[in-house]
């Protein structure tokens, strides 16, 4: 296992379409996080899971956003009815409880 | 609320110059503090961390000391190299590392 893997790396979609991103964490990590990073800014927390339980969601995560981690392994982040303001880098990270997070390379979403 | 403020960039230095990137934080509890680095086209990588006051984190010639009295965690390196060119993010985490708050990042350009 070489690290956190995210797919796709880049996604261009038309406004109003739905998109889904996948994150595969480091295999022994029980925590998984999603962050959003816009140009010139630091990552902003969206949500995190401990095993399959989603323990916290940011106010940034509107009802168009949903995240799952069905078996406590990989996770998906879905954005419904995309808007231009959703254009950003979506970062996934994983960790052991009580330890620092390791980040994937991110999925860059462009909504046109 | 909990937040991190770091100096704006870009910072441009000549090779072998001394580097300081300032970071201050606001936290409701007793945070752990981190520096992450993002090289072009890559994800965030943990550079160093400190989990309690007066701890010094160090890695690859970079150092930062957790100063509770000044709520600061400034990043320093005695002699930068061209390969250090990247964006550096200061971050804090509370409550057993359940989420991280990031600064807006400081871009470092090192010229030969």
């Amino acid at each position: 296992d070489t690290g956190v893997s995210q797919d796709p790396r880049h996604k261009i979609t038309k406004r109003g379409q739905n998109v889904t991103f996948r994150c595969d964490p480091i295999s022994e990590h029980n925590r998984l996080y999603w962050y959003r990073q816009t140009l010139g800014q630091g990552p902003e927390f969206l949500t995190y899971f401990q095993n399959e339980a989603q323990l916290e969601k940011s106010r940034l995560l509107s009802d168009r956003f949903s995240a799952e981690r069905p078996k406590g392994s990989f996770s998906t982040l879905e954005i419904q009815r995309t808007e231009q303001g959703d254009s950003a880098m979506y970062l996934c990270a994983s960790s052991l409880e009580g330890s620092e997070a390791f980040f994937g390379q991110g999925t860059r979403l462009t909504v046109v | 609320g909990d937040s991190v403020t770091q100096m704006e960039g870009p910072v441009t230095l000549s090779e072998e110059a001394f580097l300081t990137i300032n970071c201050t934080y606001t936290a409701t509890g007793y945070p752990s503090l981190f520096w992450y680095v993002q090289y072009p086209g890559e994800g965030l990588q943990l550079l160093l961390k400190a989990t309690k006051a007066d701890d010094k984190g160090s890695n690859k010639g970079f150092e930062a000391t957790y100063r509770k009295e000044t709520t600061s965690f400034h990043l320093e390196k005695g002699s930068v190299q061209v390969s250090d060119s990247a964006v550096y993010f200061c971050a804090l985490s509370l409550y057993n590392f359940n989420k991280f708050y990031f600064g807006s990042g400081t871009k470092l350009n090192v010229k030969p």
Side-chain angles (χ1 to χ4, degrees):
Chain A
D1 193 307
T2 57
V4 178
S5 177
Q6 292 188 244
D7 183 69
R9 293 289 309 280
H10 304 274
K11 178 70 177 179
I12 300 174
T13 190
K14 292 183 179 179
R15 190 173 51 188
Q17 298 294 305
N18 299 344
V19 294
T20 300
F21 310 140
R22 177 181 170 119
C23 172
D24 288 274
I26 294 172
S27 58
E28 64 268 26
H29 286 182
N30 58 345
R31 286 193 174 176
L32 186 147
Y33 311 79
W34 286 99
Y35 285 80
R36 182 171 66 188
Q37 185 179 17
T38 53
L39 198 62
Q41 298 298 314
E44 296 175 295
F45 172 79
L46 293 178
T47 187
Y48 92 98
F49 294 82
Q50 181 152 315
N51 300 312
E52 66 275 10
Q54 188 173 19
L55 296 187
E56 187 170 349
K57 292 170 60 174
S58 165
R59 291 173 300 167
L60 294 174
L61 213 64
S62 76
D63 56 5
R64 296 185 296 107
F65 288 69
S66 62
E68 295 183 343
R69 194 184 184 196
K71 297 182 179 179
S73 57
F74 73 92
S75 176
T76 57
L77 178 68
E78 180 183 17
I79 309 174
Q80 296 182 328
R81 306 180 303 281
T82 52
E83 302 173 356
Q84 287 190 322
D86 297 331
S87 295
M89 178 76 84
Y90 290 85
L91 297 170
C92 177
S94 69
S95 75
L96 292 169
E97 185 176 350
S99 186
E100 66 269 17
F102 293 81
F103 283 80
Q105 292 182 291
T107 294
R108 180 169 296 283
L109 172 66
T110 303
V111 181
V112 297
Chain B
D2 304 309
S3 65
V4 173
T5 302
Q6 59 182 106
M7 64 187 286
E8 292 188 14
V11 173
T12 301
L13 296 173
S14 297
E15 206 165 20
E16 299 184 0
F18 184 85
L19 169 71
T20 299
I21 300 178
N22 290 338
C23 170
T24 57
Y25 67 89
T26 301
T28 52
Y30 300 98
S32 295
L33 301 173
F34 305 83
W35 278 99
Y36 279 83
V37 58
Q38 187 172 36
Y39 298 101
E42 299 186 13
L44 279 77
Q45 301 175 23
L46 178 66
L47 182 59
L48 54 83
K49 67 178 182 181
T51 57
K52 62 183 186 296
D54 299 325
D55 271 2
K56 177 185 282 188
S58 61
N59 186 27
K60 298 181 182 180
F62 291 89
E63 293 183 340
T65 302
Y66 187 168
R67 302 287 189 197
K68 185 180 176 182
E69 63 274 14
T70 54
T71 62
S72 65
F73 193 55
H74 303 322
L75 182 68
E76 297 182 335
K77 187 175 185 183
S79 176
V80 293
Q81 305 300 313
V82 173
S83 57
D84 294 327
S85 297
V87 181
Y88 292 81
F89 293 93
C90 185
L92 70 82
S93 182
L94 295 165
Y95 311 128
N96 201 25
F97 295 31
N98 62 342
K99 64 183 175 184
F100 295 77
Y101 296 87
F102 286 86
S104 57
T106 302
K107 185 173 184 179
L108 171 65
N109 295 318
V110 180
K111 295 184 175 180

